[in-house]
């Protein structure tokens, strides 16, 4: 579904509620000074002022003096002008609507305050006053209302722009200022408690109305204008509506606009179309960028459309697993990932093209599998995924530990079929799972090859051997020599490795044909496909262009035995903090002489690294 309404057009209807707000505050003031004046809790307000006046201390007096001065008319006017100027002049793109929101909120609050004081006449508390008493009514507190409009407005803007701990810290400090001002006005004998409460309500209601009238709504920010006007930079954004919330969508739109993508067409995924009708959006538009806001399934569907077109893809990881983003070492925060990627460069990555009975030819960017892992993905609870994230798959995996082994044959690059039994088979373009677990440690997204692993643990010992071997390859894991490592020892099986007492068997090829004795559940990048008996996967080298962050300096030098790769792919598939395996940890492939560096790939291609380097160097 494509959003086509104009994001810049905002109705001013919320402003019409200001007279209603004024009337409500006037009514409250007349009640406070009339029929409710001698009823509790209003009857106890004078006692509160007398207690505070009797217990004044030099420190509290000095603190409240600063708070009252900060919220005085002169200070609020100066601070509002300064903040408005900063919003208009400092950023690369002026924040006109945010500046208008802040300035109008302060002005509107003051207007309501003045109108109310013309009708409501309330004397100030009968205690010594520490500030000069202005001629206006004590109800409502103008200082408190002004501080809410100014500092509360800044808190609203900070909550929309900042993230993480800094967001909570800044907004919390800003929101604490009006509360301190409210206490100060009562402490200094300038207002009753009900006066400052009315000031807080007046300021808060004004902020809410101004935000509704002037600030862009998150959903509205996610809906750019259509049709496109003449511009040099256009982007199509595919959004998974549940994974990518309105707040994230608003930040993505703003970030793209700040990077020059002023013309954006947004489209949402549906259950029947996980690419959000991306193909039809591309027709006749020729965007410079496609942005995918979702998980691996959404990225896979969009990559299937974009691969081979030359249009670069940018990933905003919003899903449960986000395996592709993790393997490419993108930041975990969705908007930070997009920001870092747009500062980098577009890099050509491989994709796998797969087909089978019940599966029309399609592409995958992460992994395809059958057996245990597909059943785990299929039966994971949607509710648990929302609450636990990827940990929900662990719960599902426990249920399938006792599933029967499957019989299958595997044919590599048209060679002789190999008969095997296994719990699962996974074909990977990248190799690292959540938590940095390297299921396919040799998988590279720019190698021109696909990696395959068969998992076939026998009993508790087999499961422990496989888990221990993989855990030792995870970031921070203590590396161990692979027990049972060696070649398959079968003619025509060059490039195979058997590890962890035979629980893990690895292959690599440009084309893999799988046949199962019985229909098996199958999955592609976390999307479940109907059970079947056949899968054929082929690599499409460099078919997908993806925006990736610029490589860190630490990634620039080539690792021992591994040629340096171009651009942001240097170490992209190795989790941060991982170290290169020692030579003895890497079993020699069949038919390849043992060396002290990374062994060559089957077929005499030098491990596919020469192919990779030639292509990436050309980029």
């Amino acid at each position: 579904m494509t959003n086509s309404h104009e994001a810049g057009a905002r109705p001013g209807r919320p402003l019409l509620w200001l007279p209603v707000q004024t009337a409500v505050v006037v009514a409250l003031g007349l009640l406070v000074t009339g029929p409710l004046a001698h009823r509790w809790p209003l009857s106890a307000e004078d006692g509160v002022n007398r207690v505070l006046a009797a217990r004044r201390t030099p420190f509290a007096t000095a603190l409240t003096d600063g708070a009252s001065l900060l919220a005085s008319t002169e200070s609020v006017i100066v601070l509002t002008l300064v903040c408005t100027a900063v919003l208009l002049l400092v950023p690369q793109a002026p924040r006109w609507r945010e500046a208008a929101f802040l300035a109008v909120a302060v002005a509107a609050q003051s207007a309501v305050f003045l109108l109310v004081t013309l009708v409501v006449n309330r004397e100030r508390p009968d205690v010594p006053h520490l500030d000069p008493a202005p001629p206006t009514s004590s109800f409502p507190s103008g200082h408190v209302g002004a501080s809410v409009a100014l500092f509360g407005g800044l808190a609203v803007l900070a909550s929309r722009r900042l993230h993480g701990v800094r967001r909570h810290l800044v907004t919390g400090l800003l929101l604490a200022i009006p509360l301190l001002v409210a206490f100060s006005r009562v402490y200094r004998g300038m207002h009753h408690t009900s006066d400052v409460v009315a000031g807080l309500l007046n300021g808060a209601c004004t902020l809410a109305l101004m935000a509704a009238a002037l600030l862009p709504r998150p959903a509205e920010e996610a809906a750019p204008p259509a049709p496109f006007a003449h511009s040099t930079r256009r982007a199509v954004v595919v959004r998974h509506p549940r994974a990518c919330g309105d707040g994230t969508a608003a930040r993505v739109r703003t970030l793209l606009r700040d990077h020059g993508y002023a013309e954006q067409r947004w489209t949402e995924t549906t259950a029947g179309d996980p690419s959000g009708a991306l193909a039809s959006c591309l027709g006749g538009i020729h965007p410079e960028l496609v942005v995918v806001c979702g998980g691996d399934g959404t990225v896979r569907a969009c990559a299937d459309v974009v691969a081979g077109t030359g249009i670069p893809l940018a990933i905003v990881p919003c899903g449960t697993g986000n395996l592709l983003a993790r393997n490419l070492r993108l930041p975990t925060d969705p908007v930070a990932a997009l920001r870092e990627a747009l500062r980098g460069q577009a890099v050509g990555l491989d994709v796998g093209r797969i087909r089978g009975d019940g599966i029309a030819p399609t592409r995958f960017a992460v992994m395809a599998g059958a057996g245990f892992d597909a059943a785990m993905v299929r039966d994971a609870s949607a509710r648990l995924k929302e609450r636990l994230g990827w940990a929900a798959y662990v719960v599902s995996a426990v249920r399938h530990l006792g599933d029967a082994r499957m019989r299958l044959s595997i044919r590599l690059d048209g060679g002789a079929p190999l008969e095997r039994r296994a719990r699962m088979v996974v074909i990977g373009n990248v190799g690292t799972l959540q938590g940095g677990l390297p299921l396919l440690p040799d998988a590279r997204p720019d190698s021109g090859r696909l990696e395959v692993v068969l998992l076939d643990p026998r009993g508790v010992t087999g499961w422990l051997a496989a888990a221990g071997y993989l855990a030792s390859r995870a970031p921070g894991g203590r590396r161990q020599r692979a027990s049972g490592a060696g070649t398959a020892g079968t003619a025509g099986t060059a490039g195979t490795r058997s590890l962890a007492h035979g629980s893990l068997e690895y292959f690599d090829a440009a084309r893999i044909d799988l046949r199962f004795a019985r229909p098996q559940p199958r999955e592609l990048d976390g999307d479940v496909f109907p059970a079947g008996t056949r899968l054929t996967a082929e690599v499409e080298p460099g078919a997908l262009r993806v925006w990736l962050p610029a490589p860190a300096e630490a990634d620039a030098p080539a690792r021992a035995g591994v040629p340096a790769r171009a651009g942001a792919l240097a170490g992209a598939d190795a989790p941060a903090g991982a170290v290169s395996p020692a030579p003895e940890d890497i079993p020699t492939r069949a038919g390849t002489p043992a060396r002290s560096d990374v062994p060559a790939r089957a077929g005499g291609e030098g491990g596919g690294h020469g192919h990779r380097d030639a292509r990436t160097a050309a980029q």
Side-chain angles (χ1 to χ4, degrees), residues 429-431 438-445 447 449 451 497 506 508 573 581 586-587 589 598-599 601 609 612:
N429 188 42
V430 296
L439 179 63
L440 293 156
D442 283 351
R444 304 287 188 271
S447 65
R449 309 278 287 180
E451 296 290 326
R497 292 176 295 155
Y506 288 95
D508 72 280
D573 44 0
I586 306 175
R589 298 185 185 271
V598 173
R601 306 252 181 185
H609 294 299
R612 173 179 66 235

Side-chain angles (χ1 to χ4, degrees), residues 400-423:
H400 291 282
L401 289 177
D403 288 359
R405 301 159 67 203
M406 57 183 176
R407 294 174 54 193
L408 72 150
S409 68
I410 178 170
R411 186 191 299 264
L412 307 173
D413 291 331
L418 309 175
E419 302 297 328
R420 295 290 190 271
R421 287 180 178 268
R423 301 278 183 180

Side-chain angles (χ1 to χ4, degrees), residues 220-566:
E220 187 177 82
E221 283 199 336
F228 290 142
H230 294 290
S231 177
T232 57
R233 306 192 79 178
R234 296 181 292 270
V236 173
V237 185
V238 179
R239 174 192 176 195
H240 190 296
R242 292 183 61 186
C244 178
D246 289 342
T248 299
R251 292 159 57 199
V252 168
R253 172 166 169 75
T254 301
L255 180 60
L256 287 174
R257 188 169 55 224
D258 291 346
H259 280 78
Y261 295 95
E263 300 178 13
Q264 306 166 28
R265 174 171 294 180
W266 285 63
T267 178
E268 293 186 356
T269 66
T270 64
D273 189 351
S275 71
L278 177 59
S280 61
C281 292
L282 298 180
I285 296 176
H286 306 297
E288 285 81 13
L289 178 68
V290 171
V291 180
V292 183
C293 305
D296 288 315
T298 306
V299 174
R300 183 201 65 78
C302 294
D304 187 32
V305 176
V306 174
T309 65
I311 301 173
L313 197 71
I315 300 172
V316 180
C318 302
T320 304
N322 302 316
L323 287 182
L324 183 59
R326 293 173 188 269
N327 278 269
L328 298 178
R329 302 180 73 177
L330 293 173
T332 55
D333 178 77
V335 179
L338 179 61
R339 181 185 302 111
E340 293 301 316
L342 293 180
R343 292 173 180 171
Q345 59 185 325
V347 176
L349 300 184
D350 305 339
V351 293
R353 186 171 182 84
I354 200 161
R355 64 181 186 274
D357 52 323
I359 300 179
T362 187
R363 296 180 175 93
F364 68 94
V366 182
M367 299 177 186
F372 173 80
D373 71 315
M376 173 189 68
V377 172
R378 179 193 62 196
D379 296 335
S381 167
R383 180 175 298 180
L384 285 180
K385 285 196 291 184
E386 291 181 358
R387 295 181 178 179
L388 303 179
W390 64 265
Y393 293 119
V394 178
V395 178
S396 178
V398 173
R399 298 166 52 191
H400 291 282
L401 289 177
D403 288 359
R405 301 159 67 203
M406 57 183 176
R407 294 174 54 193
L408 72 150
S409 68
I410 178 170
R411 186 191 299 264
L412 307 173
D413 291 331
L418 309 175
E419 302 297 328
R420 295 290 190 271
R421 287 180 178 268
R423 301 278 183 180
M424 75 174 187
V425 55
V426 174
I427 304 170
N429 188 42
V430 296
T432 302
L433 303 179
Q434 288 87 354
L437 193 67
L439 179 63
L440 293 156
D442 283 351
R444 304 287 188 271
D446 61 344
S447 65
R449 309 278 287 180
L450 295 173
E451 296 290 326
V452 187
V453 62
L454 298 180
L455 176 67
D456 188 27
R458 309 289 179 87
V460 176
T461 302
W463 282 107
L464 291 177
Y469 176 76
L470 294 176
S472 71
R473 265 61 185 167
R478 183 177 180 181
R479 290 184 173 270
Q480 63 182 37
R481 293 200 60 168
S483 55
T487 58
T490 304
T493 60
T496 70
R497 292 176 295 155
S498 180
L499 305 173
H501 296 293
S503 298
L504 295 164
E505 188 173 11
Y506 288 95
F507 311 86
D508 72 280
R511 175 188 170 106
I512 299 105
D513 292 283
L514 298 173
R515 297 294 183 269
F516 307 104
R518 294 182 178 178
Q520 298 295 331
R522 299 169 294 181
E523 62 90 10
L524 302 179
D525 290 358
D527 286 341
V528 179
F529 284 75
T533 61
R534 300 194 308 276
L535 277 179
T536 296
E538 297 178 88
V539 68
E540 294 184 359
L544 181 65
R545 296 184 65 211
V546 178
W547 275 97
L548 297 180
E553 291 184 3
D555 288 335
R559 294 178 294 173
V562 181
R565 283 170 288 166

Side-chain angles (χ1 to χ4, degrees), residues 19-255:
V20 177
Q21 176 185 330
T22 305
V24 170
V25 179
V26 167
L28 288 175
L30 294 177
L31 288 174
V32 166
T33 57
L36 299 182
H38 302 291
R39 294 178 178 272
W40 190 90
L42 296 179
S43 60
E45 287 188 313
D46 289 335
V48 172
N49 289 104
R50 285 193 292 269
V51 169
L52 290 176
R55 299 183 179 181
R56 289 170 179 167
T57 64
F59 173 77
T61 300
L63 178 65
T64 57
D65 181 51
S68 288
L69 179 62
L70 187 64
S72 65
T73 302
E74 297 81 2
S75 298
V76 169
I77 292 175
V78 171
L79 289 174
T80 301
L81 291 175
V82 170
C83 293
T84 302
V86 168
L87 289 169
L88 293 177
L89 301 178
V90 172
Q92 295 179 355
R95 311 292 184 185
W96 293 100
R97 296 175 73 169
E98 294 180 348
F101 158 73
L102 190 64
V104 176
V106 173
Q109 178 280 143
S110 299
V112 173
F113 161 75
L114 291 174
L115 290 174
V116 173
T117 58
L118 294 177
V119 180
V120 179
N121 185 18
R122 191 183 195 189
E123 297 294 331
R124 297 189 182 273
D126 188 17
V127 296
H129 301 157
L130 297 183
D131 294 326
T136 55
S137 168
S138 178
F139 183 96
S141 171
H143 281 65
V144 173
S147 66
V148 172
L150 174 58
F151 298 106
L154 291 174
V156 170
L157 299 182
S159 68
R160 296 165 65 93
R161 296 295 174 190
L162 302 179
H163 312 292
V165 176
R166 187 170 59 169
R167 175 186 183 184
H168 299 299
L169 180 62
V170 172
T171 55
L173 290 175
L174 289 171
L175 291 176
I177 294 177
L179 298 178
L180 178 60
V181 172
F183 171 77
S184 300
R185 301 305 288 169
V186 177
Y187 174 89
R188 300 179 70 80
M190 305 309 298
H191 290 286
H192 305 89
T193 304
S194 57
D195 299 336
V196 299
V197 171
L200 290 171
L201 292 176
N202 180 36
C205 291
T206 305
L207 274 183
L209 293 178
M210 294 306 104
L214 300 174
L215 289 181
R217 299 169 186 165
E220 187 177 82
E221 283 199 336
F228 290 142
H230 294 290
S231 177
T232 57
R233 306 192 79 178
R234 296 181 292 270
V236 173
V237 185
V238 179
R239 174 192 176 195
H240 190 296
R242 292 183 61 186
C244 178
D246 289 342
T248 299
R251 292 159 57 199
V252 168
R253 172 166 169 75
T254 301
L255 180 60

